[in-house]
Amino acid sequence: MALVVIAEDDDDIRNIMVRVIRRGGHDVVEAADGGAALVAVRKHRPDALVTDIDMPVMTGAQLCAAVRADPDLRDLPVIFVSGTLFPGDTRPADAGATATLTKPFLPRQLLACLEKALAAGHQQGQPPAACP
């Protein structure tokens, strides 16, 4: 069982993600924007961060960059889940994301992506893995 912070500004999508990850046997801390997510990550020291890219206060890319800049957090697996990723989008790689998953996603895809990221951890300098 892992502790996962979920950062998603859309309440419906966040609720689905929380339900899926909890049903997968993990504990979840929710955040409705990137700023609140950074506070939650620093407070709870989770095993993974699942974040949207386009959010208020702080984008997912800014959130990931802040995590990578913190020596105590830099190895945290960060998964970008977004409907705005397009081929050649450099935001995940530039921010140091561990993996990406596009919306819409199936529950099993989200869980598989999370499990893969938890098992592998974050490898500095590696391009983000694209989850199916």
Side-chain angles (χ1 to χ4, degrees):
M1 179 187 323
L3 176 61
V4 180
V5 169
I6 296 176
E8 170 62 61
D9 60 316
D10 183 292
D11 294 341
D12 293 332
I13 295 172
R14 187 176 63 253
N15 289 335
I16 290 168
M17 293 169 77
V18 167
R19 191 170 344 123
V20 167
I21 292 174
R22 283 190 177 141
R23 285 184 180 169
H26 304 290
D27 292 324
V28 176
V29 174
E30 303 176 50
D33 62 63
L38 184 58
V39 170
V41 166
R42 288 180 173 153
K43 178 180 178 183
H44 297 283
R45 303 289 187 200
D47 299 297
L49 169 62
V50 177
T51 182
D52 188 12
I53 292 180
D54 298 312
M55 294 183 295
V57 181
M58 176 183 276
T59 69
Q62 292 168 327
L63 171 60
C64 186
V67 165
R68 296 289 173 249
D70 186 325
D72 294 331
L73 301 172
R74 81 173 97 216
D75 295 326
L76 179 70
V78 178
I79 301 168
F80 282 177
V81 181
S82 180
T84 62
L85 289 174
F86 54 88
D89 193 332
T90 63
R91 292 178 296 173
D94 293 346
T98 306
T100 61
L101 178 65
T102 56
K103 295 174 188 172
F105 56 84
L106 296 173
R108 64 179 160 75
Q109 292 172 314
L110 176 59
L111 274 179
C113 190
L114 176 61
E115 296 299 337
K116 183 177 177 182
L118 286 168
H122 178 72
Q123 306 296 320
Q124 295 290 337
Q126 294 295 314
C131 294

